[in-house]
Amino acid sequence: MAFGQYRPAVFAAAGYRPGGLWAQVGPVEADSEKPLDVSEIRQKIFQNDMHVIDQDKVEDLHQLISETKEKGDTLGGIIRLVATGLPAGLGSYVSWDTKLDAKLAAAAVGVNAMGNSGTTNRLLLGILAGSSFASQLIGDASLSKRPMKRVSQPLAKFGAEIALSPAGTLPARVIGQKLHGAEIQLEVASAQVKSAAIFAALEAGSPSTIIEKLPTRNHTEIMLRQFGADITTEADNLTIHVQLGQELLGQEVEVPGDMSSAAFWLTAGRLRKSWPLMS
């Protein structure tokens, strides 16, 4: 997770500056031994990909995370948040309109676990665009080379604020805010881009229409309808209407096996006759 990111409209206007860092991940303590101000935190946490102050603990954290991943387990941690310029009484009933509460935690925490998943990254851009906090999306070396403007540009038509690298790739900084409905035409035939737009449309303040360049797989629309979303597709299989006001309800979903992953092995087996194929 990346800290030190905040939404200016919420915090800067109030005159205070938040920052945050990992103090501990699992058994590894990576905090600073001396007090740090917000400027130091923001400078130091982006000097390594683990976003910790103690540079000597970066390799320990990489090893810990790799070992935990191999075990199929998860890790907990301790986050330390720091803020300067806080007015007296902030958080009490006299400052109910500016109290931090969960807003500071939400604004300080970004997302940094994309790995090599383009689907995760592109869909999260659409989900986070309408959030009430700022986020930073980071991927591995391979994902960081893949184009993201194809997602950020259509999302901008809903009012999304997404900053990419000069090459139009990750890292992406998303300043979550209220979105508005729009009618957009997608320039790229991509189910991922369409899905990101649908997620953004669900957070918009008015209905939206999304028009595809070519029909793409409609898993997102089918799934969201099952959860209660009002999403309709016209007979041309290109025009999608997203309405508002529906409450999404939890469902029990059975996810089938992914043939796209098995296809590589099936193809390899067909190319070499001596390899047995199992049905």
Side-chain angles (χ1 to χ4, degrees):
M1 295 184 180
F3 303 104
Q5 307 302 303
Y6 65 100
R7 187 175 180 185
V10 177
F11 299 110
Y16 48 85
R17 303 172 64 236
L21 66 151
W22 281 112
Q24 183 174 339
V25 180
V28 179
E29 297 182 4
D31 204 351
S32 172
E33 294 182 356
K34 66 173 185 177
L36 297 171
D37 62 27
V38 173
S39 298
E40 287 182 287
I41 291 173
R42 292 180 180 173
Q43 178 185 8
K44 292 179 178 293
I45 61 174
F46 292 110
Q47 292 178 359
N48 61 78
D49 60 349
M50 299 306 300
H51 299 284
V52 295
I53 295 293
D54 191 345
Q55 307 291 322
D56 295 334
K57 298 295 178 65
V58 173
E59 290 304 318
D60 291 342
L61 287 171
H62 275 293
Q63 182 176 352
L64 173 65
I65 291 172
S66 295
E67 292 174 352
T68 304
K69 182 179 179 180
E70 290 178 2
K71 296 176 182 177
D73 203 351
T74 58
L75 285 168
I78 298 174
I79 300 169
R80 184 155 66 89
L81 298 177
V82 179
T84 59
L86 300 180
L90 186 66
S92 71
Y93 70 93
V94 299
S95 300
W96 63 269
D97 57 336
T98 56
K99 66 184 297 186
L100 293 178
D101 280 357
K103 289 184 179 180
L104 177 56
V109 177
V111 179
N112 175 26
M114 301 302 100
N116 190 33
S117 177
T119 302
T120 301
N121 180 78
R122 289 174 174 142
L123 267 60
L124 270 177
L125 286 174
I127 294 170
L128 293 171
S131 70
S132 60
F133 52 88
S135 307
Q136 178 166 275
L137 305 184
I138 302 171
D140 66 7
S142 175
L143 182 58
S144 296
K145 296 178 182 178
R146 298 175 66 178
M148 293 298 160
K149 280 188 177 180
R150 61 180 60 186
V151 187
S152 64
Q153 288 178 342
L155 292 181
K157 296 179 181 179
F158 293 104
E161 184 177 341
I162 301 172
L164 302 172
S165 75
T169 59
L170 295 182
R173 298 180 66 181
V174 185
I175 307 298
Q177 56 196 298
K178 288 187 177 181
L179 304 179
H180 55 75
E183 179 174 318
I184 64 172
Q185 281 195 299
L186 300 180
E187 300 297 326
V188 177
S190 165
Q192 294 179 359
V193 176
K194 174 187 65 176
S195 296
I198 290 174
F199 281 123
L202 287 172
E203 297 294 328
S206 55
S208 299
T209 298
I210 301 164
I211 304 173
E212 293 195 84
K213 185 176 182 179
L214 294 171
T216 60
R217 57 189 184 275
N218 60 350
H219 302 164
T220 300
E221 298 95 301
I222 294 172
M223 180 75 77
L224 285 172
R225 289 191 198 108
Q226 182 174 340
F227 280 80
D230 186 352
I231 300 174
T232 57
T233 303
E234 294 188 9
D236 61 3
N237 288 323
L238 297 172
T239 307
I240 302 161
H241 300 287
V242 181
Q243 305 297 328
L244 304 179
Q246 289 71 43
E247 181 182 1
L248 301 187
L249 301 175
Q251 303 289 328
E252 183 173 332
V253 178
E254 182 176 344
V255 180
D258 185 0
M259 274 298 295
S260 64
S261 297
F264 300 102
W265 301 103
L266 293 173
T267 302
R270 289 294 297 169
L271 291 174
R272 184 162 180 170
K273 296 180 179 179
S274 61
W275 288 1
L277 289 178
M278 298 181 66
S279 59

